[in-house]
Amino acid sequence: MIQVPETRISPPQQRHELQSAAAQQIDSASPKASEIRNFLLHRGNSALADRWFHVLMLLCALSIFGIVLLIAGELTIGSSLSWGQFGFNFFFKTYFDPNTHLPMYWDPVNGHFSALPFVYGTLVSSFLSLLIAVPLAIGVAVFLTEMCPGVLRGPLAFLTELLAAIPSIIYGLWAVFVLVPLLRVYVNPLLTGSLGWTGLFSGDNPTGLGFVSAAVILAIMILPIISSLTREVMIAVPHSQREAVLALGATRWEMIRMGVLRNARIGIVGAVILGLGRALGETMAVTMVIGNTPEIHRSLLANGASMASVIANEYAEATSNLHRIARTVIGLALFVVTILVNAVARLLVWAVTRGAPARSR
Amino acid sequence: MKLETNTTRARFRAITDNAVTLLAVLATVLVIAPLVAIFAYLIYRGYSSLSLDFFTRIPKPVGEKGGGMANAIVGSGILLALASVIGVPIGIGGGIFLAEFGRGTKLANSIRFTADVLNGVPSIVMGVAAYALIVSPHVRYLPILGHFSAFSGGVALGIMMIPTVCRTTEEMLLMVPHAVREAALGLGVPNWRSVLSITVRTASPGIITGCMLAFARVAGETAPLIFTALGNSFWSTSLNEPIAALPLQIYVYAISPYDEWHKLAWAGALVLIVLIVLAVSLVRYVTSRGVLKGAS
C-alpha cells in the first residue's frame, strides 16, 4: 500500500516537502516503486524551477517600476545640479534685454534660461487642439457605437486606428508640405478677417507656422486616441440603459444623451485627459510646424515653441552645461506632468470600464 | 402633469435628432478626410520619388542628384533588432507575471497601472532620459557609454516597447481559457512548463501580433533617437557609433531647404508607412479572425 499524503491544497512552497516526503514513504513501502519515486523527485526539482520561473517573471514585471524610477532618477540628478541656480522660478521669470527692454526668455549666449514661453506654448497648443479634437472625437464615437450600420463599423474603426498608427514624423512631413500652406492661404486670412479684432488672430505671419498650425496637426493626431477610448467607454454602458430610455419614448439623440453620454461622462473626461497627455508631449510634428521661437505673443498665428519642441530642436546646440541642464529640467517637468495627467486619465477610464464585458479591440 | 401633445415640440425633437445624426456623420467624414489626404499625398509624392537607388545608395552631399537611404534602412533595422532583443523578452515576462501569477493582487494592479501610465510618457522624455543614462559625457563606466551610439538608441526604443508588449501579452494570456491550464497541471506538468508550452503557446499568435504592434510603434519614433542614435550620413553598422535611422533621416531632410532632399523624405515616409500599415493590418486581421477562439 502506498500512502500518499493529503495534497488537495498544496501551495507551491509546501509542494516540494510533501513530494520528498511522499518519495520517502514509497521508498520504505516498496523498493520496486523506483519509477514513481523518480517521477516524484523530478517533480520536486521542477518545483524549484517553478520558483525560479516565478521570480524571473516577477523581475520582468518589476522592471516597469524600475524604468519609471530610472527615468525620474536620471532626470532629477541631471537637473538637480542647477536647482539652486534656476529654482522653481525657472518656469516663471522673464529677463529684459538691457538695450531694447524687450522681454527675453531663452538666451543661451548670455546664459539666460526661462521656460515660460515653452510652458505657454505647450499649454496653448494643447488646449487649442483639444478644442478642435474633442467634439469631433465624441461625434465619431457616437456615430460608430450608436448610429453606424454594421457593415461600416469595422472598416471605420480600423481607419481611425490607422490614424493612431501613423508616426509623428509623417504627420509633421505632411503638415509642413500640405497643411501649413493650406492654412496660410485659406484659413489664416479668414481668421484674421473675422476674428482679428480679438487680437488673438492678428498680425500676418508669412510662414504660416505657429500655434494654429500646431493645434490643427495635434488635433488630427490625438483624435483617434480620444475617439477609440470614448468608444470603449460607451460600449461599456449596459444596453438596458439605452432600452430604458428608448422605452420612455425618447428619440435616438435623447437616448444617446441621457442613456449613454451621461453614464459614460467620467470615462469620456478620462479619454479627453489622455488625449491632453498625448498632446502635451507630442514632439516631432509640433517641432516642425510651431516655428520654434522662444517668444510669447498674444496672437495665435505667431510663431512659438513648446516644451517638447525646444528639447528636440536644440539637441545639437546644447554646448554649455547650463544649456543642457535647462533642457533636462524641461524634460523632467514634462515627465512629471504627463505622468500625473496619464494617471488621472487612466483612473477615470478604469472607473467606467472596469468589469465591463465588452472589449473594443 | 400634462401629457405632451404639442406637435411643434415633437417636430423640434425630431429635427434635433436628425441634426445630431448629420453632425456625427460629418465628424466622421472630417476625421477620415485627413487620413485619406495624408495617404493620397504620401503615395503621390513618395511613389514618384522612389527608385532602386533609394534602397541601395547612401545619401549624397547637397546639390548632387540621386542618392538613397540604404544606410538609414539598415540602421533602422539594427536599432529595431536591438530594441526587440531588449523589449520583447522583458515585456512578455512582465505580461506572463501579470496574467499567470499576479492576477488580482495589488502588486499586479499597480504594475498594470504603471505600464499604462508609462505608455503615455512622451518619447522625447525617453530620449532625454536615455541621453542622461547612456550618452551624457559624464557616464564613463563602459567604453560603449558616454557618446552617441546605436546602442543608446536601441536601448531607448527597447524601453519604450516594454509596457506595450507587457500589456498586450497579458490581455492575450487572459483570453486563454482556464481549462487549458488545468488540463496541463492535471497531467502533472510543472507550472513553468505549463505556462511556457501551453498557455503562452496557445496565445502566441496574439502575443506575436502585440509585439509587432509595439515594433510598428517604435519603428516610426524619431524623438528618442535625436539624442541617442544621432544619425549618420555614411555607412555604419557598429553599435558603438552614431547610426542613421529612417525616421531621423526623414526629419533632417524634411526641414532642409533642398527639393532633392524633400523628395527623399517623401520616399522614406512612404517606405515607413507601408511597413507600419502592413504590421497594423496583420494585427487587425489576426485579432479579428480570433485565432484564440479555436481554443475556447
Side-chain angles (χ1 to χ4, degrees):
Chain A
M1 266 304 284
I2 300 167
Q3 283 197 338
V4 179
E6 187 77 71
T7 55
R8 207 181 304 149
I9 309 159
S10 65
Q13 297 93 330
Q14 287 174 21
R15 212 184 280 156
H16 188 213
E17 287 89 44
L18 285 173
Q19 275 154 2
S20 46
Q24 277 174 9
Q25 279 192 5
I26 292 162
D27 241 7
S28 57
S30 116
K32 284 178 188 174
S34 60
E35 250 177 68
I36 304 178
R37 179 175 172 276
N38 277 341
F39 171 71
L40 286 171
L41 282 179
H42 179 69
R43 293 234 336 136
N45 288 340
S46 77
L48 195 67
D50 265 358
R51 213 166 305 161
W52 278 108
F53 184 64
H54 189 148
V55 169
L56 197 65
M57 296 300 110
L58 179 65
L59 284 180
C60 288
L62 287 178
S63 73
I64 287 172
F65 284 144
I67 293 166
V68 172
L69 291 179
L70 197 69
I71 297 174
E74 281 296 335
L75 293 179
T76 316
I77 292 168
S79 54
S80 67
L81 298 169
S82 72
W83 204 239
Q85 198 158 356
F86 288 141
F88 202 61
N89 223 357
F90 178 65
F91 296 101
F92 302 108
K93 68 186 162 189
T94 310
Y95 303 97
F96 288 94
D97 192 317
N99 300 322
T100 57
H101 297 286
L102 287 172
M104 299 272 292
Y105 300 100
W106 194 258
D107 185 6
V109 180
N110 297 319
H112 288 175
F113 297 101
S114 160
L116 189 61
F118 310 121
V119 175
Y120 172 80
T122 298
L123 290 179
V124 168
S125 55
S126 304
F127 281 107
L128 262 184
S129 70
L130 280 187
L131 217 58
I132 303 169
V134 169
L136 286 175
I138 294 180
V140 171
V142 164
F143 180 75
L144 283 180
T145 49
E146 310 293 334
M147 303 170 174
C148 186
V151 192
L152 277 178
R153 188 169 295 159
L156 282 179
F158 175 63
L159 283 180
T160 42
E161 263 173 44
L162 208 56
L163 213 50
I166 299 177
S168 167
I169 183 76
I170 290 182
Y171 278 112
L173 189 67
W174 181 75
V176 165
F177 289 103
V178 180
L179 186 69
V180 167
L182 269 180
L183 288 175
R184 181 178 60 213
V185 176
Y186 297 106
V187 179
N188 290 358
L190 208 70
L191 286 172
T192 316
S194 57
L195 294 166
W197 53 270
T198 55
L200 290 176
F201 300 101
S202 63
D204 46 353
N205 184 348
T207 58
L209 306 171
F211 289 120
V212 170
S213 308
V216 171
I217 195 72
L218 268 180
I220 296 174
M221 296 178 71
I222 63 174
L223 251 166
I225 299 151
I226 303 180
S227 79
S228 69
L229 267 170
T230 304
R231 233 180 95 221
E232 208 164 300
V233 172
M234 287 172 68
I235 290 173
V237 173
H239 264 288
S240 55
Q241 295 282 342
R242 298 182 174 88
E243 284 154 11
V245 181
L246 284 177
L248 289 173
T251 61
R252 187 161 60 176
W253 162 238
E254 285 161 346
M255 178 273 282
I256 293 167
R257 186 163 56 89
M258 296 183 212
V260 182
L261 291 181
R262 190 166 295 175
N263 282 315
R265 62 184 187 276
I266 296 177
I268 294 176
V269 170
V272 170
I273 297 178
L274 210 63
L276 174 68
R278 194 53 64 91
L280 290 173
E282 188 44 61
T283 312
M284 297 322 293
V286 173
T287 308
M288 290 165 88
V289 299
I290 203 167
N292 295 313
T293 44
E295 292 158 11
I296 297 178
H297 294 286
R298 192 170 167 204
S299 171
L300 297 177
L301 296 178
N303 287 352
S306 77
M307 291 163 80
S309 82
V310 71
I311 302 177
N313 203 41
E314 305 200 343
Y315 67 103
E317 300 155 24
T319 44
S320 76
N321 215 12
L322 202 62
H323 195 172
R324 203 174 293 130
I325 290 166
R327 198 182 65 183
T328 314
V329 175
I330 295 179
L332 179 65
L334 207 53
F335 177 68
V336 172
V337 169
T338 46
I339 283 269
L340 287 178
V341 165
N342 275 291
V344 169
R346 284 290 168 198
L347 287 176
L348 288 175
V349 173
W350 276 19
V352 178
T353 52
R354 178 172 292 168
R359 187 171 271 140
S360 78
R361 246 186 296 157
Chain B
M1 198 180 133
K2 208 181 86 181
L3 274 179
E4 192 177 300
T5 49
N6 194 342
T7 49
T8 46
R9 169 102 180 119
R11 196 172 298 153
F12 174 73
R13 288 174 59 202
I15 289 173
T16 318
D17 189 43
N18 286 334
V20 170
T21 310
L22 192 71
L23 280 178
V25 173
L26 203 67
T28 312
V29 171
L30 266 177
V31 171
I32 302 300
L35 182 76
V36 175
I38 289 173
F39 271 91
Y41 202 72
L42 198 57
I43 291 168
Y44 160 66
R45 287 293 302 263
Y47 186 72
S48 62
S49 320
L50 264 184
S51 61
L52 192 62
D53 273 2
F54 180 84
F55 296 101
T56 54
R57 299 282 173 84
I58 66 168
K60 287 198 171 163
V62 183
E64 283 183 46
K65 285 221 170 240
M69 286 198 189
N71 60 340
I73 294 170
V74 172
S76 264
I78 291 173
L79 283 172
L80 288 171
L82 188 59
S84 304
V85 165
I86 296 168
V88 169
I90 298 182
I92 291 182
I96 289 175
F97 178 81
L98 291 182
E100 302 291 328
F101 296 107
R103 213 182 275 197
T105 60
K106 267 198 180 128
L107 177 67
N109 282 339
S110 52
I111 289 174
R112 189 174 302 127
F113 182 73
T114 314
D116 276 350
V117 170
L118 196 61
N119 244 338
V121 168
S123 53
I124 185 89
V125 173
M126 291 286 186
V128 177
Y131 178 89
L133 183 67
I134 302 173
V135 181
S136 173
H138 306 295
V139 191
R140 285 240 172 265
Y141 317 117
L142 289 173
I144 204 164
L145 304 175
H147 55 86
F148 296 107
S149 62
F151 172 74
S152 58
V155 170
L157 294 183
I159 289 176
M160 292 187 64
M161 282 179 86
I162 292 175
T164 321
V165 173
C166 175
R167 291 288 279 126
T168 43
T169 303
E170 187 208 354
E171 272 184 29
M172 294 303 153
L173 287 178
L174 287 180
M175 282 201 261
V176 175
H178 258 300
V180 176
R181 295 187 183 92
E182 281 157 11
L185 290 174
L187 288 172
V189 177
N191 195 21
W192 67 271
R193 202 59 207 274
S194 136
V195 168
L196 286 184
S197 314
I198 309 293
T199 325
V200 172
R201 179 161 302 176
T202 310
S204 60
I207 294 176
I208 291 169
T209 49
C211 291
M212 290 205 58
L213 210 59
F215 188 83
R217 198 188 139 203
V218 296
E221 281 295 352
T222 320
L225 296 180
I226 289 179
F227 318 107
T228 51
L230 193 68
N232 193 337
S233 43
F234 304 101
W235 265 112
S236 171
T237 50
S238 160
L239 285 184
N240 206 11
E241 300 279 324
I243 199 167
L246 203 47
L248 211 53
Q249 201 89 334
I250 296 172
Y251 174 60
V252 172
Y253 281 4
I255 58 174
S256 76
Y258 312 110
D259 253 359
E260 199 62 29
W261 282 12
H262 292 167
K263 273 188 183 170
L264 282 175
W266 281 108
L270 183 63
V271 170
L272 194 59
I273 201 79
V274 165
L275 286 177
I276 288 168
V277 168
L278 276 182
V280 173
S281 312
L282 197 68
V283 170
R284 179 82 186 177
Y285 177 74
V286 171
T287 47
S288 70
R289 280 288 296 271
V291 175
L292 295 176
K293 274 178 195 148
S296 59

